[in-house]
Amino acid sequence: MSRQSLTPQQQAWVDALLAQMTVEEKAGQLHQLSPSIVGGFDVSFEELIEMFTDGRISPAEFGKIMSTSTRDYHEDDIRAGRVSSYLLDDPETANRLQKIAVEESRLGIPLLFGLDVIHGYRTVFPIPLAETCSWDTELFEASARVAAREASARGVRWTFAPMVDVARDARWGRISESPGEDPYLAAEYARAKVWGFQGRDGVTQENVASCLKHFVGYGAVEGGRDYNTVSMSRSMLHNGYLPPVKAGVEAGAMTVMAAFNDVNGVPCTVNGYLLRDILKERYGFGGFVVSDATAIRECVTHGIAADLADASLQSIRAGLDMDMNSCAYHNHLAEQVRSGAVPMELLDDAVRRVLEVKTALGLFEDPYVSLERAARYETLPQDHLDLALEAAEKSIVLLKNQGELLPLSKSCKIALVGALADQPAEVLGAWAISGRESDCVSIRAGLEKTGVQVAYAPVCGPADAPDSEQMRRELEAAAAGADVIVAVVGESTAMSGEAASRSDITLPGKQRKLLELALATGKSVAAVLVNGRPLALQWEDEHIPAILECWQLGVRMGDAVAAVLLGECAPTGKLCCTFPAVTGQCPSYYNHPNTGRPGSKSKFTSRYLDAPVKPLYPFGHGLTYTKFQCRDLQIAENGDALEISVVAANTGKRPGVETLQLYLRDVTASLVRPVQELKGFCKVFLDPGGEKTVGFTLPKADMGFYDDGGNYRLEPGEFVISVGGSSEDVLKGSIWLKF
Ligand code: BGC
């Protein structure tokens, strides 16, 4: 969002409003709260989320608590104009509080209600990591649009999404919320999500303000441990982590959330280089920046601020506009302005940004939510459900399919094993706080609906440790008479998302034992993975003939998995994140800088003694039920761009879709550049035997990189261009450019 998003009249109106405000009222516009005593639980919102994600309360209970909350909402503070925003999912409470703000406060400035609507609201879509594997920007936008429609109907006009953290370490639990490891794909994702949430047609009641988060580098936390420290060069920051933020800002994002972590020693919350110099000045971001939950307060724990007052001072000076849950601005800002420690212009700038977002959302004209509208999506509409199915199908990635075991024939008898197959709520994944278990289709239910013969046994789940003998008995009973075993294994929802890092990303619990028992029956075994991060599947890849990565796909998961298993729909997903062979390879990502001794079989190279150098499944990998080949790579200069083409052919027996990927390598540069960087992609549909010439235009302006001063450089020299169906299956050519 830029100031220009408002009309001159609106800008003048905001200025006039600002001129009437007291210092307390101004500080009040920078104060956000989340329920602290909710529905009888004397816990913070974060703790409540934790109780939900670690399974202490079910999604149903969570939803109930959120919608029947009875806490004291600081009504006197609202009346005094000292609260700006709440995290809230309850239209009746929202209207009640809004009435106080609009009708009883001196200036009648409306409250802004925000919530984490991360991958759908009631209609829960695939987790972001899964959806990104669709490489489908129209889908990214459409699913955000549906989420905005459903959330805004219940008064939520601000979502803390999209999460655009480039994530390269599969140990980090929040990789599930991210668009994966590539800055180009993440930028496409960011842009589409901002458009989807905020709409492209100006103010409507169905728009919600988006929030690019977490600004920035959160995906690079050391050791993949959540909230940990981040050290990286400025060139890496600009080349690898900032592109999705820049794209989201250019698409008009109204808000940005500062990350919990420090970058090179300075917590993002108080990082003036990031918030002011880069975000607001260089990118021209005109919306407001909110802290992450209690992050201002945490600056004291970081050891960067003496106390809450000091943290408040540092935050406002750095360009942090709204305080989520620390009460730092609430307690200290007005006094700091009065004492001259904080210039009034700084406060005014922050408040103006907040007022402009509220204006852009139309909150001043239309502050309430109609209860009739709030009930509109309680039964999920068919078009939302259809989109959820499409998204789920397109997010599935076929990792391995030896002997074309998949698709299964509809006449075969399936032994379905694994507790995850029959736990409807597990399809939701992390951060689906408004989803309802009753809307979810489990894999078992999805398969049974098709009429195919299924014998089911839970045998074991990710967190169980049943007796091995009992597991064997259960599995053999289900497998008796079956033609094929479909083993559903993976992670529970609580094993990914926030505060859910893992130091060992192999299949948890006794699930490998389950696979061993399945193989011991001598029947064909297909593994269906349900998980929120890349897993280390070296053993599984060696032993299991077919592996289908199904992630956590949202409310239609079971239908989508059944359609793909039975061949009604071919898998088309391509990985947006590398799958390491073993956990010790983390972080493992395709676009790494080259070493002077790239890993090989010889000893003195960049390698491990006890693990391969290469990942198991690379970025961009994903099979389908037919085969594609590329030939005839052509690269030609055409003015300010390169024209690149290949001939793609469907050499298999079924129609299919291939996602062709364009990669670049700058062979000689003044900084070590990645061995490959994604620069474009396109989908091609081909019938068996069909072929097509597929073209890419690569603007020369996109062939540069940022140096350590954050300056963009286009350096002449040789460039390797590659095109193919994965980052490791490409045709290569090269070209010399002078620019
Ligand atoms: C998370 C954010 C989230 C916020 C509000 C924090 O713990 O890091 O991503 O938006 O809570 O729920």
Side-chain angles (χ1 to χ4, degrees), residues 45 87 116 160 174 213-214 257 260 292-293 324 431 498:
F45 188 68
L87 274 79
D116 291 277
F160 307 116
R174 300 199 81 168
K213 73 183 189 187
H214 305 84
M257 183 184 289
F260 282 124
D292 205 336
M324 181 190 284
W431 281 114
E498 187 170 352

Side-chain angles (χ1 to χ4, degrees), residues 32 34 45-46 49 87 115-116 118 160-161 163 174 177 211 213-214 218 226-227 257 260 291-293 324 431 433 498:
Q32 186 191 41
S34 46
F45 188 68
E46 289 70 42
I49 298 269
L87 274 79
L115 197 75
D116 291 277
I118 307 297
F160 307 116
M163 197 266 223
R174 300 199 81 168
E177 297 171 56
C211 183
K213 73 183 189 187
H214 305 84
Y218 191 22
D226 210 356
Y227 315 120
M257 183 184 289
F260 282 124
S291 75
D292 205 336
M324 181 190 284
W431 281 114
I433 55 181
E498 187 170 352

Side-chain angles (χ1 to χ4, degrees), residues 78 93-105 111 368:
I78 301 175
T93 307
N95 279 344
R96 182 169 62 76
L97 301 179
Q98 193 68 297
K99 194 160 187 294
I100 301 172
V102 170
E103 295 178 24
E104 298 177 36
S105 77
L111 296 165
Y368 300 108

Side-chain angles (χ1 to χ4, degrees), residues 280-409:
K280 292 186 174 174
E281 285 172 18
R282 188 189 287 208
Y283 295 171
F285 172 65
F288 70 83
V289 181
V290 64
S291 75
D292 205 336
T294 63
I296 299 186
R297 197 170 281 272
E298 289 166 25
C299 287
V300 180
T301 323
H302 272 293
I304 197 107
D307 51 24
L308 191 61
D310 185 19
S312 161
L313 196 62
Q314 293 192 40
S315 303
I316 193 80
R317 283 183 178 160
L320 194 283
D321 302 308
M322 187 181 280
D323 169 1
M324 181 190 284
N325 258 356
S326 289
C327 295
Y329 290 173
H330 181 75
N331 293 349
H332 301 289
L333 194 51
E335 181 48 38
Q336 288 168 340
V337 172
R338 266 195 295 271
S339 72
V342 174
M344 184 65 89
E345 303 79 66
L346 215 57
L347 178 65
D348 283 352
D349 176 65
V351 177
R352 184 182 286 110
R353 289 166 182 272
V354 174
L355 294 176
E356 287 186 354
V357 167
K358 291 186 175 182
T359 306
L361 287 169
L363 282 177
F364 284 92
E365 290 85 45
D366 205 354
Y368 300 108
V369 52
S370 101
L371 293 183
E372 173 276 314
R373 204 173 143 238
R376 194 173 295 168
Y377 303 111
E378 287 309 285
T379 304
L380 304 185
Q382 194 55 48
D383 57 332
H384 294 194
L385 287 168
D386 292 346
L387 188 68
L389 177 62
E390 180 189 335
E393 288 174 348
K394 286 179 167 175
S395 303
I396 293 174
V397 186
L398 180 59
L399 297 175
K400 181 181 174 193
N401 196 16
Q402 195 178 307
E404 302 194 351
L405 176 59
L406 298 180
L408 303 175
S409 144

Side-chain angles (χ1 to χ4, degrees), residues 594-632:
N594 218 358
T595 69
R597 294 184 174 192
S600 69
K601 287 206 171 109
S602 33
K603 170 135 175 91
F604 293 99
T605 63
S606 181
R607 63 195 282 266
Y608 299 103
L609 291 178
D610 53 356
V613 175
K614 280 193 175 293
L616 189 61
Y617 304 121
F619 178 84
H621 171 73
L623 307 171
T624 186
Y625 293 153
T626 187
K627 289 200 165 37
F628 291 94
Q629 270 175 14
C630 287
R631 59 178 160 78
D632 293 343

Side-chain angles (χ1 to χ4, degrees), residues 511-522:
Q511 295 178 102
R512 179 173 303 173
K513 180 76 191 165
L514 178 149
L515 294 175
E516 284 168 357
L517 291 168
L519 289 167
T521 63

